[in-house]
């Protein structure tokens, strides 16, 4: 394990900087996510046990259900307690009335991917996506990895959160979706703010969601809040059209296999007036030695010119938002950091 930690310390993060772990006074012992399922289930069971039975409502119809089938986008029929919270979802089963596909929260998250429930089929995403499915990277994300982003101009978690909250003022009280939530560093802040009727943490990485739950477990005030963990593909969001009020994507779009498909999906699920806020790294000589303008003429001869991550100029990000139907684009730039926002008309 010591060798694994040393190797991880040399891994370059999205900003192009090497991860610097603090010097430990004692040997570092990793408790990787996903190793204590009984404890997780015990915590959820305890939360359920104190819930009065009279408050447990069986929801056997699709009316008011926020989750939808990722195959046909029909609202799911839930059998179990209603609500967007961990105990209710853990006790519920979900089924699509149109294609009859079933979904359960057999782990501590609800798996709403198209491949949920498959036994033989499997597929790999691009390397930049698969990297964040690693238990080690999931463990390290809030323990040194994310902190390195300040080298590229990211102002820090507290300031980034407040900036996002300012953009979301017009949709306060609605449902917020934190896509590519990672270990939930912003999910927890949104949930504890009390600004939203429900917060949904969504990621494709099973291990990131497990790590997210580990952190939630450490804060008793979050266990019974309207907070749900969902595994889903950013390019196939399991929500009905015009059903979400606010969508946040922190330091994520550069990792997405197809940013255009993802932003189109985000636009689809936002309600009219809904707000999308994201941060990422702007294209610069530091993270992309060849400028976008220099590479563009080569594409007609050699096809797509791919790098490890998708880095964009601000003009490209604005163009992408507008092409996906979002309006009122605005941004805040600091060195290679950008926070940008668009609104569903």
């Amino acid at each position: 394990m010591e060798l694994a930690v040393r190797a991880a310390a040399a891994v370059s993060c999205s900003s192009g900087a090497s991860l610097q772990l603090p010097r430990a006074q004692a040997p570092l012992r990793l408790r990787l996510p996903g190793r204590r399922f009984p404890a997780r289930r015990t915590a959820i069971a305890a939360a359920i046990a104190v819930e009065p039975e009279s408050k447990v409502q069986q929801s056997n119809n699709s009316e008011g259900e926020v989750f939808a089938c990722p195959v046909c986008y029909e609202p799911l029929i839930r059998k179990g307690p209603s609500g967007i919270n961990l105990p209710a979802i853990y006790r519920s089963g979900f089924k699509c009335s149109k294609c009859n596909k079933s979904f359960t929260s057999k782990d501590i998250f609800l798996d709403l991917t198209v491949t949920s429930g498959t036994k033989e089929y499997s597929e790999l995403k691009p390397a930049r996506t698969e990297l964040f499915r690693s238990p080690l990277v999931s463990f390290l994300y809030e323990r040194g990895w994310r902190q390195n982003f300040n080298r590229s101009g990211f102002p820090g978690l507290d300031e980034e959160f407040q900036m996002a909250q300012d953009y979301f003022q017009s949709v306060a009280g609605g449902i917020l979706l934190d896509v590519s939530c990672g270990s939930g560093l912003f999910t927890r802040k949104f949930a504890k703010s009390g600004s939203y009727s429900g917060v949904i943490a969504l990621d494709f990485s099973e291990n990131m969601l497990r790590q997210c739950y580990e952190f939630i477990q450490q804060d008793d005030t979050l266990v019974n809040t309207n907070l749900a963990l969902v595994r889903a593909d950013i390019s196939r969001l399991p929500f009905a059209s015009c059903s979400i009020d606010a969508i946040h994507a922190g330091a994520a779009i550069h990792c997405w296999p197809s940013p255009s498909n993802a932003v189109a999906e985000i636009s689809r699920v936002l309600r009219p007036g809904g707000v999308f806020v994201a941060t990422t790294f702007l294209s610069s000589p530091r993270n992309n030695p060849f400028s976008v303008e220099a590479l563009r003429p080569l594409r007609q001869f050699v096809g797509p010119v791919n790098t490890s991550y998708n880095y964009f100029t601000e003009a490209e990000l604005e163009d992408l938002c507008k092409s996906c139907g979002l309006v009122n684009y605005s941004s805040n730039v600091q060195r290679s950091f950008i926070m940008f926002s668009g609104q569903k008309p």
Side-chain angles (χ1 to χ4, degrees):
M1 185 60 71
E2 182 181 356
L3 292 177
V5 174
R6 291 179 179 176
V11 175
S12 293
C13 69
S14 303
S15 64
S18 297
L19 173 65
Q20 300 295 325
L21 293 175
R23 184 182 299 275
Q25 299 301 320
L28 179 62
R29 299 178 62 188
L30 298 184
R31 182 165 62 87
L32 298 181
R35 294 291 181 84
R36 298 178 60 200
F37 292 151
R40 289 192 184 93
R41 293 191 173 115
T42 299
I44 296 177
I48 294 171
V50 299
E51 184 179 8
E53 189 63 28
S54 61
K55 293 185 178 181
V56 177
Q57 302 176 353
Q58 296 295 319
S59 177
N60 291 311
N61 58 70
S62 60
E63 184 178 358
E65 183 57 61
V66 66
F67 302 117
C69 175
V71 177
C72 53
Y73 293 142
E74 288 291 315
L76 294 177
I77 296 175
R78 179 193 297 213
K79 186 175 182 180
S82 61
I84 304 176
N85 59 75
L86 295 174
I89 292 175
Y90 186 76
R91 291 181 59 180
S92 299
F94 297 82
K95 186 175 182 179
C96 177
S97 60
K98 186 173 183 179
C99 68
N100 290 321
K101 187 173 176 67
S102 297
F103 305 89
T104 61
S105 55
K106 61 182 180 180
D107 209 331
I108 48 79
F109 53 83
L110 178 61
D111 192 341
L112 293 180
T113 58
V114 172
T115 56
S116 174
T118 56
K119 297 179 179 179
E120 302 295 334
Y121 178 79
S122 63
E123 64 183 15
L124 292 177
K125 295 291 185 179
R128 59 180 176 268
T129 300
E130 292 297 322
L131 174 67
F132 291 97
R133 298 179 73 183
S134 159
L136 184 59
V137 173
S138 300
F139 178 87
L140 292 174
Y141 191 73
E142 285 191 48
R143 298 174 173 90
W145 187 294
R146 183 55 164 80
Q147 287 80 350
N148 276 310
F149 289 12
N150 61 7
R151 300 182 182 185
S152 294
F154 278 65
L157 301 182
D158 291 340
E159 187 173 344
E160 292 170 50
F161 168 71
Q162 190 55 57
M163 291 167 64
Q165 285 286 79
D166 291 341
Y167 279 116
F168 286 139
Q169 284 184 5
S170 63
V171 289
I175 295 176
L176 181 140
L177 177 61
D178 188 17
V179 299
S180 296
C181 66
S183 56
L185 65 175
F186 286 108
T187 299
R188 302 192 301 274
K189 289 180 177 292
F190 287 128
K192 295 184 73 171
S193 72
S195 301
Y196 310 97
S197 59
V199 175
I200 301 172
L202 182 147
D203 206 287
F204 187 75
S205 168
E206 305 92 326
N207 284 306
M208 280 293 189
L209 290 170
R210 291 176 185 132
Q211 184 63 74
C212 182
Y213 185 78
E214 291 280 359
F215 284 120
I216 292 173
Q217 254 192 330
Q218 297 170 17
D219 190 337
D220 294 337
T221 64
L222 289 173
V223 175
N224 290 305
T225 57
N226 288 333
L227 170 61
L229 305 183
V230 174
R231 181 174 183 248
D233 189 333
I234 186 62
S235 295
R236 197 78 184 176
L237 293 175
F239 304 97
S241 298
C242 303
S243 61
I244 303 295
D245 300 281
I247 298 181
H248 174 261
I253 190 172
H254 53 276
C255 298
W256 294 345
S258 174
S260 59
N261 286 346
V263 177
E265 272 291 270
I266 287 169
S267 180
R268 178 185 68 80
V269 304
L270 278 175
R271 298 182 192 273
V275 177
F276 169 50
V277 175
T279 60
T280 188
F281 300 88
L282 287 173
S283 179
S284 69
R286 181 176 182 180
N287 57 36
N288 191 355
F290 301 100
S291 67
V292 175
E293 291 74 15
L295 290 175
R296 187 172 287 114
L298 297 177
R299 293 175 181 170
Q300 60 181 312
F301 301 108
V302 299
V305 182
N306 193 23
T307 58
S308 298
Y309 296 96
N310 292 309
Y311 297 119
F312 303 98
T313 64
E314 183 176 6
E316 285 183 309
L317 292 172
E318 181 176 4
D319 194 30
L320 174 60
C321 288
K322 290 181 178 179
S323 70
C324 292
L326 300 178
V327 299
N328 298 331
Y329 175 89
S330 62
S331 65
N332 190 311
V333 177
Q334 182 174 313
R335 292 159 56 195
S336 294
F337 163 84
I338 181 172
M339 176 175 282
F340 63 96
S341 176
Q343 188 173 33
K344 179 79 168 283

